[in-house]
Amino acid sequence: FDSTHALLNGSYHVVRVTVDCEGTDCDEREYQAPLAAAELEVAPTVVTAVCRTGTSPANGVFRVRNAGVGAMSFSVSEATTWLSVSPVVGVSNGSWENVEVIFDASALLEGVYTGIVTVTGAGTSANVEVILTVTDMLVGRDFDDGCHSPGDIIDVAITMDFGGAGEVTSLAVFETLPPGWAYLGVISDPIPDVGDFYPETGKLEFGWVNVPTLPHTVVYQVQIPEDEESGVFCFSGTTTYRNDVPTDPEFTVPTYGEQCVEIGDCCLP
C-alpha cells in the first residue's frame, strides 16, 4: 500500500492509502487522523496574599505550560489597578513557565480584594483568581519542622499581630483540622478563655474575653490517626477581631503561613 500522500485539512491529517494488486490499483481510500495540537494549562487557578495596611505583600506566582505538542505562545493580561503581571507574553514547549503576580497595595484600605488574570494561548483562555487581604491583623500558622508519621503528635502555633489604630477588644480564632485528626488541647499560656472542638466537623474555636497583649502566640496539639495514609493534609483557618476605634467594623482575616503537613514516604531514611 502507498500512504505517502498526506494533506493537512483544518485540524486533521488526510492520509490516502492505495492497495496495489500486482500493478493494478484495486483499492484507494482516504482516512482522517486528528492533528496533534497545543493545549493550554494553568496552575494554580487561585493566588492568595495577605498584607498589613499601608504595605504590599510579596509577589505571587502561577505557572503556564503547553500540555499538548509543539510550541505554544501565550499572553497574560489583567485589568486591576492594584496588581500587575510579568511576563505578559511567553512561549512554552511543554515546560512550566512562571508568571509573577506583583501587588501594589499600599494605598488600599482594610478589606478583601479580588482580581482576575487572564491567560490566552492555543486558541483558548483560562482565568486565575487573585484574592488579596489587606488587614491590620496578621495571623500566621507554623507546624513542627519535618515530615510526620501516623500516630505523631504535632504542635500547631497560631501567631496574631495587630498593627492598626486603637486596641483589640475582641478576638476569636477558628481552625479546621484534617478529617479524623484529634485535638489534644492548648499547651501555651495563657490558655484562651473559650476553647471548643467539634470532632464531627474538625472545627476548632478559641476566644478571649480578656484579649492578651499582641503579638500573641497560642500553641495547640493535634494527633495524626494511627491508620492515616501517606499524603499531604491541610488545615484552614480565620481570625475575627474588633478594635476600639468606633468607625472600624468587625473584621475576619485568613490565616496565612504553613497550611499543610506531609505524612509518609518523606520520613524514610
Side-chain angles (χ1 to χ4, degrees):
F1 65 90
D2 176 11
S3 62
T4 59
H5 299 85
L7 303 176
L8 181 61
N9 180 14
S11 59
Y12 289 88
H13 282 301
V14 178
V15 180
R16 179 176 300 168
V17 179
T18 302
V19 179
D20 188 350
C21 300
E22 297 182 354
T24 304
D25 290 343
C26 57
D27 193 14
E28 181 176 276
R29 296 183 182 180
E30 290 186 349
Y31 301 89
Q32 289 187 335
L35 176 63
E39 180 182 349
L40 175 66
E41 183 175 0
V42 178
T45 56
V46 178
V47 174
T48 61
V50 179
C51 69
R52 194 183 298 281
T53 307
T55 69
S56 294
N59 295 348
V61 176
F62 65 88
R63 302 182 299 166
V64 180
R65 76 163 179 166
N66 178 12
V69 298
M72 180 195 72
S73 298
F74 65 88
S75 62
V76 188
S77 61
E78 45 74 29
T80 306
T81 57
W82 47 266
L83 69 83
S84 59
V85 293
S86 179
V88 295
V89 294
V91 176
S92 170
N93 292 291
S95 61
W96 286 104
E97 303 297 327
N98 286 346
V99 177
E100 283 195 314
V101 178
I102 304 164
F103 297 97
D104 181 12
S106 59
L108 297 180
L109 300 177
E110 192 167 20
V112 178
Y113 299 82
T114 60
I116 296 295
V117 175
T118 301
V119 183
T120 303
T124 188
S125 63
N127 288 336
V128 176
E129 183 180 20
V130 181
I131 304 173
L132 171 64
T133 301
V134 179
T135 176
D136 290 330
M137 176 76 76
L138 295 182
V139 184
R141 182 190 300 106
D142 292 294
F143 299 119
D144 289 347
D145 292 335
C147 181
H148 298 277
S149 301
D152 281 358
I153 294 175
I154 301 176
D155 291 352
V156 183
I158 304 293
T159 300
M160 297 148 283
D161 185 10
F162 181 70
E167 295 184 359
V168 176
T169 56
S170 67
L171 182 64
V173 172
F174 304 90
E175 289 273 271
T176 301
L177 312 186
W181 288 35
Y183 168 66
L184 303 182
V186 173
I187 61 172
S188 59
D189 283 326
I191 295 176
D193 300 313
V194 178
D196 294 305
F197 178 61
Y198 304 93
E200 64 278 7
T201 61
K203 294 188 179 300
L204 174 62
E205 300 177 3
F206 297 130
W208 287 265
V209 176
N210 299 304
V211 177
T213 301
L214 301 177
H216 175 71
T217 300
V218 58
V219 182
Y220 67 91
Q221 289 186 323
V222 297
Q223 185 169 25
I224 304 169
E226 294 283 354
D227 59 352
E228 190 67 272
E229 298 181 355
S230 298
V232 176
F233 299 85
C234 297
F235 292 61
S236 63
T238 61
T239 293
T240 298
Y241 74 96
R242 183 186 294 273
N243 63 10
D244 59 2
V245 177
T247 58
D248 286 351
E250 184 175 83
F251 287 101
T252 297
V253 297
T255 301
Y256 71 101
E258 296 180 334
Q259 306 293 329
C260 302
V261 174
E262 187 173 4
I263 299 172
D265 294 341
C266 60
C267 301
L268 298 176

